Structures are given as C-alpha cells and as structure tokens.
Amino acid sequence: MSVHRPLARCVGLACLVLATGAHAAPAPSNRAGQMAEISRHRDQAQWLDALAAIERAQQSSPGDDLLYKLQVLTLGDIGNASRAWQLYQARPELFDAAQKERFEADYLARLVGWSMAYGESEDTRLEEAEDTLALMEKYLQRDGTPLAQAPRRIRLDRLILLNRLSRHAQLRGEYLALRADGVELPDYVLPAVGDSLMATQHPDEAIPVLSQAVKNDPSRFQARSELAYAYLETEQAGTAIDYLVSWQKDEPIWRWGPNARAPYANWARYEADLNLAMIRAYSNDLPSAQGELEQMVATGPGNGGLQTALGGVYQMRGWPRRALERHQMAYTLDPRDVSPRIGMFESHIALQRDDLARPIHDDLLARYPNQPSVQRMDRAWRAHRGWQLDANAEVGRSSGGGGASPLGNDDGSYRVSASSPILADRWRVLAFADRRSVDFQNQRINPWWFGAGVNYRFDQLDGELVALHPNDDVGDTGLRAGLGWQFNDQWHLGASAARNDADASMQARVSGITADSVALASTYTRNERTQWRIGASQYRYDDGNHRDTISTSVEQRLLSRPTLQVDGLGSLYASRGSRDEVPYFNPSRDRSVEIGLRIDQQLWRHYEKHFRHRLTVSVGDYWQESFGSALVPSVEYRHEWQIGAGRIFEYGVRWSRPVYDGQRERHVGLEAGLRWGE
C-alpha cells in the first residue's frame, strides 16, 4: 500500500503533470524512479512531454494499472477525447464514476464537433449529428437519468446538436429549462442558441444571447449578422443599420499578416457589406441594396452568396427573370446551397411555371424539412397552390345631387368568389356569386349574378373564361373572356371582351338596357416604386349608344422608410358617348385629371402577420361638356390586418364630392373584404 499511495497521488495530479510538461530522459529501472521522473515534470511547461514520460514508463512496466490510468487521464486533459475514450473502454474497471462521466461527456463533445463538419453529401450531412444525439439518448436511458439531471456538459452540448438538426423549438425548450435551473450558458453554445431563437421567431430573446456571443468573440461573423437581423425583426431597422455600419467601419477591406508581402481579404468586411445591403433591402431601400450588391458582384462574380443576394433583391424589385438568372448562377457555383434553390423556386412561381417550381420544392422539403426557410417556402407553396377565397362587401350613399347620380341614392355590392387548387400547373376552376343593389329615386335594382369559369396561368400567357347569369332577366347570359401576355419583367398587355357586362351602367340596366364591352390595357412596371397603366374600352349598349373611354394612371414612390411609404398618384381620363338622349348618365364628352397621395404605414408586424393603415387623398378637375369643370376631392382611409400568409382582412371608409351634370353631391362608402389564399 505504501507503494501505491504516491502512485495514486500522481493520478490525482495528472492535470498538474500534464501542464508542467517533461524533458526526455532515460527510462528508470524501477517504479520509484519512474514516479520520481513524472513528479519532476510538475514545474515544467510541456504536456506532451509529460505524456511521453508516462508512455516511456509503461515500456518498463507494460501491465501497470496506475500508469494506464494516468495515461488515459492525461489524454483526456490534453483534449484527445477519442483516444482517451478508446483506452477507457478497454479497461473501464480502473476508473471511478466521476471519471467515467468525464470520458463520456468529452467523447460526446468531440462527436458534436465532428458533426459540424461539411458532410460528404446532402443525404449524409446530418448522419453524424443524428448518431451523436442517439448516443446521448442512450447514455441517459442507460442510467435512467432524466434530462434535467443529466451532466451539465451533455445538456449544453445537446443544444449544438439540436441546432444542427434544425430542432429549433426543442432547443428553445431545453434552453429555457437550463435558464430556469440557473445555468449560465458557456460561450461556445451562444451562437447556436441565438440562431434557434431566431428560427423559432423569438428575436427579442435572441438579442441578449447574440449580443453576449459577439461580446465574447467579435470575430463571430454569423452571430454578428444574426444580431442585425434580430434588431430588424423587432422593428429596429435603424438600430440594425447603424450596428452594421459601425461594424463595417471597424473592418478594413484588406488585412496584413505579420511579415506578409501581400494583404489578404478580410471576410469580416464582406459579411458586414453583404448583410448591410440585405438589411437595406428588407427596410424598403431596394435601390441602395441593388447598387451595393451589383458593385460587390462585379468584384467577386464567383461568389454564390453574392449572386443569391442580388437575385433576391431583383425578385423584390419585381424582376423575376433577372432574379432567376442570378439564382441559377449561384446554384451552379454551389449546388448544395439551399438559398439559391429557394430563390429559383420563387422566381418560377412569379413566372407562372409551377411545373419547374415543384421539383425544387419537393426536393428541398424532403432534404431540409426542419429548416425555417424551407418551411416558409412550403407555406408559400401551399397558399399559392390551394383554394382561394375572396369575400367583399361595399355600401354607399349619395346625397345632395338632386337624385340624378349614376351611383344611385344608395348602392351596395356583396361578392363571394372561390377558386379551386391549381390543376395541371395551369388551371383553376372558379365560381362566384355577386349581389348588386342600387336605388334610383323610386326605382330599385338588385340582381344576383352567378358565375363559373376557368382561369389559366402558364409562362407568359394568362387568360380567363367565365359564364355568368343574372336573376333579373335583363339581357342574355353573360360571358367574359380575357387574354394577357407578359413580354418581360416590366411589360404586360391584356385584352378582354364581355357580353352583358356586369360592370356596365346600373342606371342603364334599371331601364332594361345592357351593354357588351371590349377593352385593351397595358401595364409597365419599372420596379416596385414606379408603375404606369394605360387602357381603352368601349361599351356597346343595346340602345345603340357606344361609350368610348381612354385612361392612364401612374404611381410613383416618393418616400420609402422601413415602416412608411408615400406614393404620388396621377391619372387622366376621357370619354365620349355616341348618343345624347338616353335614360342614364352619358356625357357627350368628359374628361378628368387627378393627383393624389397615398400614405401607407405599418404599425405592427411579427413575421407573416402585420397591421397597416392607409390614407389616400386626391383632388381632380372634372370637365363635362355643356356643364364646365369642377374640382372633385376624395379621401379614403383603410386598415389592413394580415393574419397569416395569404390571409388578409381589410376595411375602410371613403368620401368624395363628385359632380354629375353640373350637380355636386356627397358620396360616403364603407367597404370590408377578406382574401384567403395567395
């Protein structure tokens, strides 16, 4: 026993022996000499030399249990967890419970680290993480240990694995349990926890975690980027931009190493530049984001991340063809990157090519079912492909015009329409019911319109064919047909024709007069800030009257802020009728010019949910032959609640002072609508 006590003490001092190091020396010929040599290394600095001394001692005493034990403990101390685990498993009886727990925890920790490596393929990229998590579960089940009582190291390392496996909700639950137990998170798990808190849409919880991770290690680029997005998702866009600008200023484009002849690229600056551009884009400053990214792409065209980011900005600007080109370039550069494939999916949807979007969706959903971006893609796909429902109600009252208003004294419209899921990637079957009612002095008309038809959308072509029938027996069964062609990302041309058009004058209809119509319209969408429309139409009434109209309108963004947009509105309109003596409002000639402002402010948002209000004011000059001109003001105020992806409820009130046949009147209207689907 007297011999084993100093040996046991040396085992307990394994960390000291390893920390002090050893110098090579001839192996002693007896155990006392061996242990004396090891003890002398307590004041030296080389751990590996200490391990070498132990191994030399083992050469003289190959079967010595205590030397074996000391070797395993020392391997664990220097971080060679795999070798320590291997030797421990060969002779587990030499170690006590605390040492066994340490070896297992260190080995599992090493496996956690290995699981973060780039996998051989997409199909095997998570195998090591799944296997390591299974080993942890087996370890806990073997000893019957509940997770709350598991070793602290294992509970913490699980967070890394859960993040790697995109089990973000489970990670958040275990993170909150650790906090409740008073466990302070060590530095190495903070980025994973912050990432999962963002993935579960809890940016307010992620901010302190990511802030601590960045404070502990400012070189963590991903954590710094995530922190900026956490600020953005808590409606602190200004803070996010200021944070990235400050980071950008601290990072030179190039860095110099010691005694270097040439500088090397500073990837921290790249991360700051890239994410600043994207935060600007998500804050409605798309022109600045586009300019910054195009400049970066010109410098590094082979960077797939840059190409993907630029494609995303093009998509937000309304240019799906340009976006698709960039995403395809990024996919070629890195076929395993998820982001360009999601970008390609979104572009195909915008280009009406569901047949090309589907295989991308199905493949990503099969490979990455728990990844938040893929889950958002899937929700968008189901909203796009599924049933669509629109319900709308409008009521209005006109007064002060002597009762001659073409809008009637009281008017109302109640409409419900439904469209089937997309069939064969092109078609939807649709049906609707539309009740319209108008009081004209002592006359009232309130037809029900019932209709059904098909809608076609594929590639550059869109079309619709609908049959509709009123229950008031005025006119024949109606038909409506339309065709459109998308020339490029900016120009669209459409033509339509209708028999017994439901949008013709209700004042004419109350007299038993219906109208057919033809129309041609073109839309030019320069980007998300500028849109111009021009159109012409003709209504051919049963009484021989032809009413021709031509109109044009423009919308121009005047102010863009993260939660506020102001648009300038302008329109011109002119029309003429071929007959004068008709029982409905039908000026021989009239025209109008109108200018206005639309102020759209977001008051609240949480990811796919938001609340906005919108104020539109305008003033126009309306001229009618034989009656001169008059100013016509109008105001509209609306609320919009988005309660989920593709689910919007809105309502509003409008007021105007139109003039008909020289008589000014006041019109007040209320409207509410629900859109369910894309």
Side-chain angles (χ1 to χ4, degrees):
M1 294 299 294
S2 61
V3 174
H4 290 284
R5 282 175 187 165
L7 289 174
R9 183 172 180 271
C10 287
V11 172
L13 293 173
C15 290
L16 275 177
V17 172
L18 186 58
T20 56
H23 293 293
S29 59
N30 57 67
R31 177 175 302 188
Q34 296 166 0
M35 301 317 301
E37 180 186 4
I38 295 171
S39 297
R40 284 195 300 270
H41 295 306
R42 286 179 298 178
D43 298 324
Q44 299 177 8
Q46 299 296 326
W47 281 79
L48 292 177
D49 287 346
L51 180 62
I54 295 171
E55 292 175 344
R56 287 195 301 273
Q58 286 180 307
Q59 292 175 3
S60 299
S61 304
D64 191 282
D65 293 347
L66 293 177
L67 286 173
Y68 188 90
K69 188 173 183 179
L70 183 59
Q71 179 191 22
V72 176
L73 290 170
T74 306
L75 285 167
D77 285 337
I78 66 174
N80 194 343
S82 300
R83 181 59 176 165
W85 170 259
Q86 183 181 21
L87 295 176
Y88 152 72
Q89 284 190 309
R91 303 181 69 180
E93 69 280 359
L94 297 180
F95 303 92
D96 60 33
Q99 291 164 343
K100 292 179 181 179
E101 180 180 299
R102 171 191 163 192
F103 291 139
E104 289 185 316
D106 287 348
Y107 177 63
L108 290 173
R110 177 56 58 90
L111 293 180
V112 170
W114 287 341
S115 73
M116 304 299 292
Y118 202 67
E120 292 182 4
S121 70
E122 283 192 283
D123 296 326
T124 63
R125 73 192 187 283
L126 298 179
E127 285 184 355
E128 289 188 353
E130 291 168 346
D131 291 344
T132 303
L133 188 61
L135 284 174
M136 283 187 177
E137 298 290 349
K138 183 178 179 181
Y139 168 78
L140 296 175
Q141 293 172 4
R142 182 193 66 198
D143 296 334
T145 305
L147 180 60
Q149 299 175 14
R152 178 175 176 270
R153 176 69 179 274
I154 288 180
R155 293 181 68 184
L156 293 170
D157 287 347
R158 280 174 59 87
L159 302 181
I160 303 289
L161 288 174
L162 293 175
N163 176 259
R164 172 72 170 145
L165 295 169
S166 296
R167 300 186 187 180
H168 302 295
Q170 184 179 350
L171 183 152
R172 179 172 179 265
E174 296 191 13
Y175 157 69
L176 293 176
L178 283 164
R179 284 187 56 187
D181 292 342
V183 177
E184 286 290 332
L185 292 187
D187 182 61
Y188 74 94
V189 302
L190 293 174
V193 173
D195 178 68
S196 288
L197 292 174
M198 288 291 291
T200 54
Q201 300 186 355
H202 292 88
D204 51 333
E205 297 178 7
I207 287 174
V209 175
L210 293 169
S211 297
Q212 187 64 40
V214 171
K215 179 181 178 181
N216 294 347
D217 185 357
S219 68
R220 284 178 168 144
F221 308 148
Q222 185 175 359
R224 298 190 78 158
S225 301
E226 289 252 34
L227 180 57
Y229 284 103
Y231 287 135
L232 179 69
E233 296 302 342
T234 52
E235 301 306 308
Q236 302 179 72
T239 302
I241 291 174
D242 291 343
Y243 173 77
L244 289 170
V245 169
S246 176
W247 181 21
Q248 187 184 59
K249 290 178 179 177
D250 291 340
E251 299 290 349
I253 297 176
W254 300 95
R255 286 193 179 277
W256 291 82
N259 303 318
R261 295 184 177 181
Y264 62 90
N266 181 8
W267 287 104
R269 176 59 180 266
Y270 162 80
E271 286 286 332
D273 290 347
L274 174 62
N275 288 288
L276 178 59
M278 294 311 298
I279 293 290
R280 291 194 198 281
Y282 296 130
S283 301
N284 293 319
D285 189 3
L286 288 165
S288 296
Q290 178 187 341
E292 292 173 8
L293 287 170
E294 285 177 341
Q295 185 176 1
M296 294 176 71
V297 167
T299 303
N303 187 310
L306 286 176
Q307 297 287 2
T308 298
L310 183 56
V313 170
Y314 285 162
Q315 186 76 36
M316 286 186 274
R317 303 216 72 184
W319 306 328
R321 290 170 179 82
R322 294 174 67 178
L324 179 60
E325 181 181 27
R326 294 293 172 174
H327 292 311
Q328 288 173 332
M329 293 169 66
Y331 175 68
T332 301
L333 291 167
D334 186 358
R336 291 179 58 175
D337 192 359
V338 172
S339 296
R341 282 179 280 177
I342 291 179
M344 291 164 60
F345 164 85
E346 293 172 345
S347 296
H348 287 315
I349 293 295
L351 294 171
Q352 303 179 159
R353 291 302 304 266
D354 284 23
D355 58 323
L356 300 179
R358 177 187 292 102
I360 298 175
H361 165 271
D362 294 349
D363 181 65
L364 286 175
L365 192 62
R367 294 179 187 272
Y368 303 92
N370 297 320
Q371 188 159 314
S373 59
V374 173
Q375 292 174 338
R376 287 193 297 271
M377 176 202 69
D378 182 52
R379 289 195 297 270
W381 174 253
R382 286 185 280 115
H384 164 70
R385 298 280 299 182
W387 286 94
Q388 294 184 348
L389 173 69
D390 285 274
N392 188 267
E394 298 180 51
V395 294
R397 170 164 293 184
S398 298
S399 60
S405 171
L407 300 177
N409 300 318
D410 294 289
D411 61 276
S413 174
Y414 311 91
R415 178 184 175 90
V416 176
S417 64
S419 298
S420 73
I422 295 178
L423 307 173
D425 295 329
R426 293 166 170 80
W427 302 91
R428 286 187 189 271
V429 177
L430 59 94
F432 67 87
D434 188 352
R435 177 68 177 267
R436 303 187 183 188
S437 64
V438 185
D439 289 337
F440 295 103
Q441 297 293 69
N442 297 322
Q443 294 178 298
R444 179 179 177 83
I445 184 170
N446 56 355
W448 271 101
W449 291 85
F450 299 95
V454 293
N455 184 287
Y456 179 89
R457 297 283 187 276
F458 187 76
D459 201 20
Q460 294 173 269
L461 181 65
D462 57 86
E464 186 177 76
L465 180 63
V466 175
L468 59 164
H469 184 77
N471 70 342
D472 60 357
D473 298 323
V474 178
D476 300 326
T477 296
L479 289 174
R480 183 176 71 242
L483 280 178
W485 185 262
Q486 187 80 39
F487 290 92
N488 49 43
D489 282 341
Q490 297 177 318
W491 283 100
H492 180 271
L493 180 66
S496 63
R499 185 181 74 179
N500 194 2
D501 194 336
D503 293 327
S505 169
M506 292 291 284
Q507 201 173 26
R509 191 174 189 86
V510 78
S511 300
I513 301 170
T514 64
D516 299 336
S517 69
V518 292
L520 187 67
S522 179
T523 302
Y524 171 72
T525 305
R526 181 181 180 186
N527 49 47
E528 83 291 353
R529 298 188 171 202
T530 305
Q531 188 175 74
W532 174 60
R533 301 181 184 91
I534 185 170
S537 66
Q538 184 182 78
Y539 283 91
R540 301 173 180 178
Y541 287 90
D542 293 346
D543 59 0
N545 180 42
H546 289 179
R547 182 146 204 90
D548 302 318
T549 66
I550 185 169
S551 64
T552 183
S553 64
V554 63
E555 298 182 10
Q556 176 61 52
R557 181 70 48 81
L558 303 178
L559 177 68
S560 279
R561 294 292 183 267
T563 59
L564 177 68
Q565 292 88 49
V566 178
D567 294 312
L569 311 174
S571 66
L572 296 171
Y573 165 89
S575 72
R576 67 182 182 183
S578 63
R579 293 188 58 187
D580 293 331
E581 299 300 324
V582 295
Y584 49 91
F585 182 71
N586 183 53
S588 298
R589 294 179 186 276
D590 67 346
R591 61 178 178 266
S592 71
V593 57
E594 184 178 21
I595 58 173
L597 284 177
R598 181 175 60 226
I599 304 171
D600 190 322
Q601 184 182 27
Q602 176 184 285
L603 297 178
W604 170 83
R605 183 184 70 89
H606 185 72
Y607 292 91
E608 295 169 339
K609 301 177 181 179
H610 70 237
F611 171 59
R612 316 180 67 92
H613 67 157
R614 190 176 300 117
L615 174 67
T616 305
V617 295
S618 67
V619 62
D621 181 80
Y622 175 73
W623 175 87
Q624 182 181 346
E625 191 172 51
S626 302
F627 293 97
S629 64
L631 291 178
V632 177
S634 66
V635 180
E636 181 179 358
Y637 179 67
R638 303 179 69 84
H639 284 175
E640 177 184 287
W641 293 88
Q642 180 164 307
I643 55 180
R647 302 173 184 180
I648 294 177
F649 174 61
E650 56 184 343
Y651 51 87
V653 59
R654 60 185 184 275
W655 171 93
S656 63
R657 295 297 304 275
V659 176
Y660 303 107
D661 291 340
Q663 299 291 316
R664 184 176 295 280
E665 61 183 57
R666 180 176 62 253
H667 183 79
V668 178
L670 300 173
E671 181 181 359
L674 174 67
R675 302 198 303 273
W676 195 280
E678 186 184 36

